[in-house]
């Protein structure tokens, strides 16, 4: 599913098409695939490959970046991806249930984060290919390029739970913690912990993890901090469990071209800044603390 954020908020499950396999439940773009966004087809482009030599048991290696939705040029609109995976729907349902106990909730949000990061990383990460010796002989192999920095930035507290399984999906990644709280009356964000580097390494790819995009204050503050440290919008992907139109509209206005991966999109936010029907306070429910959102 792909959603268009504009003057009106619309979602359409048949807007996003990849190749001829209409029944395929996975996003699997390739150089001949295209994204149809607001009836404007954008052809995915192959970034090509370069050659280099390395020592040890690897014989010949070349670096490459596969074509994907992350390599599409010329789009000035934000894209929101809601992967149509049954496991994503399952874990969202577990999170919504107000009877789900804290340990199950935290496990569910961690599993959801794993799936969303898997989808967001699809053909976005650079790889090196070459030949090694397996126990049975030479084998062609492909690894994530260890020279290209991968970082995960969870927004505390609930981002810790959503990013808990990041290391099982993303090899050799670094985690930079960012603490942002929201005033319960004004709904304005306040940064209380910032472990981001002064400047991200060149060619970094960063997964910004925030379970709930409601009013948009927290995610906007985090995006500003990442941009200040040298990252472009194309180097960032936002991972969230649930999102609503106010936050998505703000992101689209200020950060065109950003890609957001969400478990589900709900229609509205109440006067206290919580998504309806939503899943409650993800931080409180993940860590078993007092549920301020119910007062």
């Amino acid at each position: 599913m792909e959603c268009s954020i504009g003057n009106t908020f619309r979602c359409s499950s048949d807007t996003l098409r990849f190749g001829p396999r209409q029944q395929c439940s996975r996003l699997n773009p390739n150089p001949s695939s295209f994204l149809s966004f607001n009836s404007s087809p954008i052809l995915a482009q192959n970034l090509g490959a370069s050659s280099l030599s390395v020592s040890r048991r690897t014989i010949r290696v070349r670096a490459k970046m596969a074509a994907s939705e992350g390599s599409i040029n010329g789009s000035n609109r934000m894209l929101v991806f809601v992967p149509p995976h049954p496991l994503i729907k399952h874990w969202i349902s577990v999170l919504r249930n107000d009877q789900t106990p804290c340990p199950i909730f935290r496990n569910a949000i961690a599993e959801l984060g794993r799936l969303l990061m898997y989808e967001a990383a699809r053909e976005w990460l650079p790889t090196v290919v070459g030949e090694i010796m397996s126990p049975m002989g030479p084998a062609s192999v492909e690894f994530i390029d260890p020279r290209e920095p991968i970082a995960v930035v969870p927004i505390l507290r609930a981002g810790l739970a959503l990013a808990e399984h990041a290391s099982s999906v993303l090899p050799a990644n670094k985690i930079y913690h960012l603490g942002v709280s929201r005033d319960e009356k004004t709904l304005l964000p306040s940064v209380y912990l910032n472990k981001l580097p002064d400047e991200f390494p060149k060619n970094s790819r960063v997964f910004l993890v925030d379970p709930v995009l409601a009013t948009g204050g927290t995610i906007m503050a985090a995006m500003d901090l990442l941009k200040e440290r040298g990252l472009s919008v194309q180097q960032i992907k936002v991972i969230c469990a649930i999102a609503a139109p106010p936050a998505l509209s703000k992101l689209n206005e200020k950060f065109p071209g950003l890609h957001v991966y969400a478990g589900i999109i709900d229609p509205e936010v109440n006067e206290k800044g919580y998504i309806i029907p939503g899943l409650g306070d993800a931080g409180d429910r993940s860590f078993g603390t007092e549920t301020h959102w119910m007062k």
Side-chain angles (χ1 to χ4, degrees):
M1 177 184 290
E2 181 181 324
C3 297
S4 170
I5 313 297
N7 294 330
T8 58
F9 184 79
R10 296 175 298 170
C11 292
S12 175
S13 60
D14 61 357
T15 302
L16 184 61
R17 297 184 178 90
F18 289 103
R21 296 180 61 188
Q22 300 298 324
Q23 300 302 316
C24 181
S25 62
R26 302 192 308 167
L27 303 182
N28 189 22
N30 56 61
S32 63
S33 302
F34 66 88
L35 295 173
S36 177
F37 186 71
N38 282 357
S39 302
S40 176
I42 305 169
L43 183 65
Q45 300 178 358
N46 193 343
L47 296 187
S50 60
S51 299
L52 57 101
S53 298
V54 295
S55 59
R56 295 187 179 180
R57 301 177 68 181
T58 302
I59 301 173
R60 299 177 63 184
V61 177
R62 70 180 186 274
K64 70 175 185 176
M65 175 65 183
S68 72
E69 87 286 342
S71 65
I72 293 170
N73 297 317
S75 174
N76 61 354
R77 291 180 179 272
M78 184 180 76
L79 299 182
V80 181
F81 297 88
V82 181
H85 197 294
L87 286 174
I88 289 177
K89 297 175 182 179
H90 170 82
W91 293 120
I92 284 290
S93 300
V94 173
L95 295 174
R96 282 202 191 277
N97 189 352
D98 66 358
Q99 299 301 307
T100 298
C102 173
I104 303 300
F105 185 95
R106 182 165 177 172
N107 178 72
I109 203 167
E111 289 297 328
L112 178 64
R114 187 209 306 266
L115 293 168
L116 291 172
M117 279 184 277
Y118 172 85
E119 293 291 349
R122 184 188 299 275
E123 298 187 1
W124 188 53
L125 303 180
T127 60
V128 288
V129 298
E131 187 175 85
I132 63 171
M133 289 297 296
S134 82
M136 303 304 293
S140 297
V141 294
E142 187 167 356
F143 295 101
I144 300 299
D145 191 340
R147 300 162 301 178
E148 300 290 336
I150 302 172
V152 178
V153 179
I155 299 179
L156 310 186
R157 291 178 300 163
L160 288 174
L162 191 61
E164 187 171 338
H165 293 329
S167 61
S168 70
V169 180
L170 305 170
N173 69 86
K174 294 184 178 180
I175 298 180
Y176 299 101
H177 296 96
L178 183 61
V180 183
S181 61
R182 185 178 70 173
D183 187 283
E184 294 184 6
K185 293 183 179 180
T186 66
L187 303 182
L188 295 177
S190 175
V191 178
Y192 65 88
L193 178 69
N194 184 349
K195 292 297 184 179
L196 299 177
D198 293 335
E199 185 175 358
F200 279 90
K202 185 180 179 181
N203 298 327
S204 291
R205 288 169 175 81
V206 175
F207 295 84
L208 180 57
V209 181
D210 189 8
V212 178
L213 306 186
T215 62
T218 297
I219 194 67
M220 293 290 286
M223 284 292 299
D224 285 337
L225 289 172
L226 294 183
K227 290 275 288 182
E228 289 172 5
R229 284 155 176 78
L231 294 176
S232 68
V233 168
Q234 289 71 32
Q235 292 176 272
I236 305 168
K237 288 198 176 184
V238 174
I239 306 295
C240 66
I242 189 168
L248 296 176
S249 295
K250 290 178 182 177
L251 285 171
N252 179 63
E253 181 178 351
K254 190 170 182 180
F255 303 106
L258 181 67
H259 288 184
V260 177
Y261 282 75
I264 198 167
I265 298 174
D266 275 354
E268 61 180 308
V269 175
N270 67 13
E271 67 280 358
K272 292 185 178 181
Y274 288 96
I275 295 178
I276 304 300
L279 49 80
D281 189 300
D284 285 336
R285 296 192 68 193
S286 292
F287 298 101
T289 51
E290 185 178 359
T291 52
H292 299 284
W293 59 274
M294 292 188 67
K295 293 183 178 181

